[in-house]
Amino acid sequence: MKVSSSTLDQQILYANVMNDVYPDEQGRFGPFGGRYIPETLVPALNRLEAGVKRYLHDPDFQAEYMAELHDWIGRPTALTYARTLSKRWGCEVWLKREDLAHTGAHKINNSIGQVLLARKLGAKRVIAETGAGQHGVASAAACARVGLPCTVYMGAVDMERQAPNVGRMKLLGATVTPVTSGDKTLRAAVDEALRDWVTDPNGTYYCLGSAIGPHPYPYLVREFQSIIGREAREQMLAKAGGLPDIAIACVGGGSNAIGLFHPFVKDAQVQLLGIEAGGTGTGLGQNAASLAYGKPGVLQGCYSMLLQDANGQIHETHSVSAGLDYPGVGPEHALLQAAGRVSYAGVEDDDALNALEECCASEGILPAVESSHALAGARRWARQNPGKKILIGLSGRGDKDMPTLQRTILLGKI
Ligand SMILES: *Cc1c(COP(=O)(O)O)cnc(C)c1O
């Protein structure tokens, strides 16, 4: 039988993924990832990489990290059996409750880890970027906890859209610096943070908020977020009587999803499904589904799947959820898709908002609009696969989304 070369490539990638060989020494996840950066950033990233090698899996550092997860963040977060959703959808539905983590989402798992690492590396200040403000709030909180000053770069447009989070960051002691260059949103904020970092790579630590960017960030963030999947796997075995048939999470940059998925990758019988922001449709500019509709390219130091136009220019995105509204995605997801280990699908704005409403009324849980994409994807999958065990990553709580919900679901109701 003749095997086409693309199938053979995929089989090799699949075998490597199942043996957990990524990233390699160059920070590559198969063909993706790596480091596409100006010369000026090389010393800072080399220093960070050395620090990661030295401390990340050091038992003392891990003990310190685990203590903060337990005593300050409130981990392990609950695994909740969703009784009513299970009845309605005809499946066993389990929710991994990152909405219960301190500051209201999974972001804090990564922020506290990186800020502890910053202290180990002798940094005098921490900088971070934020889009919707969730990573900014988590980083500000982590810096206050550890005792390091924090500067958060935030696009001027986002500062207006997410005013309550700007206030939260300031209360937590951070300096919020508006970014008025470029698109004045998340992308510009990342660029500005990188620029700041270059000026003082020894004294400053850059705390990046998702599993994106140049090596070693995608790896570092995945390692910190994997606590989600490690806990969920144990909790499923203890409470649900076995592994799930499928684990489902929403994908923006991809940090909560890779955190949930990674500890299940070697369990070949567990299907993995990432849900991207399908926005209002499949056209360029109507969504933020980089894996579904993107092409490979380089953005912010990393080779991955990107939404770009015919000339390779990064294209504007749309999603009802600010946290999923990013034109790229982490390189490990690009690899997991190419290897055929994880599938990715889009959920549109309306469907996500509808699932949010159903979760509130059925389970007494107000999920983030981002997480509601995972819920809607799970609901769709459940209808085609009755009687299965579904694990859903509920990445955060929806209190921050009240202004969006007032304009949408609640419009005309009160
Ligand atoms: C930021 C955020 C996301 C998206 O980011 P990932 O890196 O893809 O996880 C999803 N859900 C919530 C609640 C968020 O705050």
Side-chain angles (χ1 to χ4, degrees):
M1 193 181 80
K2 192 169 173 287
V3 180
S4 83
S5 67
S6 73
T7 311
L8 194 58
D9 283 352
Q10 193 178 51
Q11 284 168 0
I12 293 167
L13 287 179
Y14 185 87
N16 286 344
V17 159
M18 298 309 274
N19 287 309
D20 199 15
V21 304
Y22 299 115
D24 66 15
E25 278 293 305
Q26 276 71 50
R28 290 196 165 270
F29 293 86
F32 302 104
R35 230 184 232 182
Y36 295 82
I37 47 167
E39 201 62 35
T40 48
L41 264 176
V42 172
L45 283 160
N46 282 345
R47 202 179 129 77
L48 174 62
E49 191 181 1
V52 169
K53 278 196 183 131
R54 165 83 178 78
Y55 292 112
L56 184 59
H57 294 115
D58 171 70
D60 290 345
F61 180 78
Q62 278 294 323
E64 205 178 353
Y65 176 58
M66 292 309 290
E68 293 299 345
L69 291 186
H70 188 263
D71 301 334
W72 185 64
I73 294 181
R75 302 202 73 89
T77 57
L79 177 74
T80 301
Y81 181 58
R83 276 193 291 268
T84 307
L85 290 181
S86 295
K87 271 201 206 97
R88 291 173 65 112
W89 299 355
C91 274
E92 240 183 73
V93 181
W94 296 86
L95 307 173
K96 180 58 177 162
R97 302 284 308 281
E98 293 304 294
D99 60 310
L100 296 177
H102 179 46
T103 66
H106 68 288
K107 296 257 174 21
I108 195 78
N109 304 326
N110 169 52
S111 300
I112 188 67
Q114 287 202 49
V115 173
L116 287 172
L117 183 63
R119 189 172 62 183
K120 281 269 184 237
L121 296 179
K124 298 284 175 283
R125 69 191 271 267
V126 170
I127 57 172
E129 85 297 334
T130 198
Q134 292 303 105
H135 175 59
V137 168
S139 298
C143 284
R145 173 74 177 167
V146 172
L148 281 171
C150 180
T151 298
V152 181
Y153 288 98
M154 188 171 189
V157 170
D158 288 334
M159 281 182 74
E160 218 165 283
R161 288 197 289 203
Q162 314 288 337
N165 272 341
V166 177
R168 288 170 81 195
M169 286 181 255
K170 287 185 178 165
L171 279 172
L172 290 163
T175 306
V176 184
T177 304
V179 177
T180 52
S181 56
D183 61 1
K184 301 189 181 73
T185 67
L186 178 60
R187 251 178 77 207
V190 174
D191 287 338
E192 209 51 44
L194 288 169
R195 216 164 288 155
D196 176 324
W197 195 26
V198 178
T199 61
D200 178 22
N202 294 335
T204 299
Y205 182 94
Y206 177 22
C207 179
L208 208 158
S210 190
I212 57 170
H215 179 63
Y217 283 111
Y219 165 72
L220 180 61
V221 175
R222 178 253 267 173
E223 288 296 286
F224 285 135
Q225 292 293 1
S226 292
I227 188 69
I228 303 171
R230 287 205 306 276
E231 286 176 7
R233 196 175 180 284
E234 260 178 44
Q235 289 167 319
M236 285 300 294
L237 292 172
K239 300 177 79 172
L243 293 176
D245 293 295
I246 189 165
I248 304 179
C250 66
V251 178
S255 69
N256 88 90
I258 203 66
L260 182 71
F261 293 167
H262 193 260
F264 288 102
V265 164
K266 287 185 183 178
D267 300 309
Q269 74 273 32
V270 179
Q271 278 189 60
L272 302 170
L273 174 61
I275 302 294
E276 296 188 294
T280 55
T282 59
L284 196 59
Q286 293 184 317
N287 57 70
S290 344
L291 289 159
Y293 309 123
K295 285 177 293 195
V298 171
L299 175 64
Q300 289 171 334
C302 176
Y303 183 70
S304 188
M305 299 295 282
L306 306 178
L307 289 165
Q308 46 192 315
D309 66 19
N311 299 318
Q313 293 297 313
I314 304 300
H315 206 277
E316 256 175 51
T317 51
H318 163 79
S319 169
V320 67
S321 78
L324 301 183
D325 211 351
Y326 183 71
V329 67
E332 193 163 0
H333 288 290
L335 166 66
L336 289 166
Q337 175 175 253
R341 178 62 187 96
V342 183
S343 355
Y344 296 86
V347 154
E348 297 196 358
D349 291 351
D350 292 350
D351 204 15
L353 291 175
N354 181 276
L356 180 146
E357 223 178 336
E358 187 179 10
C359 182
C360 287
S362 305
E363 301 298 336
I365 296 168
L366 167 53
V369 177
E370 290 85 358
S371 322
S372 303
H373 285 71
L375 287 164
R379 180 171 63 184
R380 196 162 69 194
W381 189 86
R383 291 194 179 127
Q384 287 152 8
N385 299 275
K388 303 285 192 195
K389 270 190 184 72
I390 307 181
L391 169 63
I392 303 173
L394 207 92
S395 54
R397 66 178 186 225
D399 306 55
K400 68 176 177 64
D401 294 314
M402 283 316 294
T404 301
L405 302 177
Q406 297 282 8
R407 278 198 316 273
T408 52
I409 297 176
L410 290 169
L411 199 66
K413 287 199 184 171
I414 42 174

